[in-house]
Amino acid sequence: MELKRVVVTGLGAITPIGNDAKTAWENAVKGVSGAGPITKFDASLFKTQFACEVKDFVPSEHFDRKKARQLDLYAMYALKAADEAIDDSGLEKEETEADKNRVGVIFAAGIGGLHTFEQEAGDYALHEDKGPRYNPFFIPKMIADIAAGHISIDHGFRGPNFATVSACASSNNALIDAFNYIRLGMADAIVTGGAEAAVYPAGVGGFNSMKALSTRNDDPKKASRPFSGSRDGFVIGEGAAALVLEELEHAKARGAHIYCEVAGAGMSADAYHITATHPEGLGAVLVMENALKDAGMKPEDIDYINLHGTSTPVGDRGEAIAIKKVFGDHAYKMNLSSTKSMTGHLLGAAGALEALFSIKAMEEGIVPPTINHEEGDNDPDVDYNLNFTFNKAQKREINAALSNTFGFGGHNAAVIFKKYKD
């Protein structure tokens, strides 16, 4: 069976550094940090008191009162990003409207409606003899698949519809599933991506208890510092990113703008630890090798890697080791960067946002930086001769870009994008 070619025709985002794809990308190139003191709750007693929050998002500007009552914040972010991507793609323009039976939605969340769960669990009480009282929207607001359901309902897309959940690899897994469904001929187009809104007491407190978050409360904007020696944990972020993936001939027939082609994808497992990545990067090596094999590409074909790069001591080390193992001498000729240094870690939405940044980097010929680098690492396995694009964006031609994500549970997913050539 000949596999169909898959291209990207729409982009959308709401992030800590911009509430649309264009603004987020422009601020990423500038090296803008989205970190600041937490405003969603009183974090004064928490070990970590800052996050990368979405700013100036007013739900009533996007949803009527009835709709807003049905949505957790994570789903609001998902709908906002998806609407932008769909509009950007032109899928719903009257003169080019796609067959909606063959347009799907595969949208990820690592956690889902955490705030809704926190509220309802906190409000739980027995009322005399009447039993517990729960909001009837509790379950349909909380579940991780509901964002995909709402996008489908709002736009009438009746193709494949589900969510992927693999912690921080969730939205890369959603992209991979969308890619595979289209190239196998099971859909013409799929709206895919991920959303997360976990900047609430349970999210921050839970990650604090694991010692996963940075505690640099005196200087939040410089707290996310991937591959720097003084890195002390990730900065939790929130938001969403969405992409429209489309079968090439379908996109050409309706005159769609094509950002790039999806070249291939890989998946693997560390099979090592529930939260820590493998210290020697074994799963990371395998996932990148699998992606290259699927794309029919050689290591030297890759110009840029958007790193998982969370700013944790063990995670950054393993990824740096893996890159040298996979790419050999070519590793020194590529640009690498972690945009989490600016956006924080969007958990289940991270892969989709970093895919978007990889696509824009390729389109505009500029690599966004890894900000906040001040010093090297005492760990000899983090090779500072690699070009981590520290502190300032760099111009270069990018013909192919790889985007890595690694999640709790040992889940690894990588996607390769390349410039579209007819």
Side-chain angles (χ1 to χ4, degrees), residues 52-68:
C52 285
E53 295 180 325
V54 169
K55 289 95 176 159
D56 304 319
F57 176 70
V58 182
S60 61
E61 294 178 359
H62 304 277
F63 310 102
D64 62 36
R65 185 177 179 183
K66 180 180 179 181
K67 183 74 170 180

Side-chain angles (χ1 to χ4, degrees), residues 72-157:
D72 184 88
L73 184 60
Y74 103 92
M76 293 185 183
Y77 290 159
L79 286 167
K80 166 69 171 63
D83 286 351
E84 181 187 355
I86 293 164
D87 183 63
D88 184 40
S89 74
L91 265 178
E92 288 193 313
K93 288 183 180 178
E94 184 176 351
E95 66 275 20
T96 60
E97 184 170 353
D99 179 355
K100 293 187 176 183
N101 289 337
R102 291 186 54 81
V103 178
V105 182
I106 303 175
F107 220 85
I111 299 174
L114 181 64
H115 184 47
T116 295
F117 182 83
E118 188 177 74
Q119 283 183 312
E120 291 296 321
D123 291 344
Y124 169 79
L126 289 172
H127 298 273
E128 298 176 353
D129 296 329
K130 296 180 180 179
R133 295 178 182 173
Y134 284 98
N135 188 319
F137 290 116
F138 171 32
I139 299 301
K141 283 178 70 174
M142 175 196 71
I143 50 181
D145 68 297
I146 205 65
H150 276 291
I151 296 166
S152 169
I153 292 165
D154 285 359
H155 295 277
F157 296 153

Side-chain angles (χ1 to χ4, degrees), residues 8 10 43 47 65 74 81 98 109 112 124 135 152 155 177 183 188 198 201 213-214 235 252 286 290 299 370 407-408:
V8 178
K47 293 178 182 178
R65 185 177 179 183
Y74 103 92
Y124 169 79
N135 188 319
S152 169
H155 295 277
D177 279 359
R183 66 175 172 170
D188 293 329
L213 296 182
S214 170
V235 177
K252 288 168 63 177
L286 184 59
N290 288 343
T370 305
F408 283 178

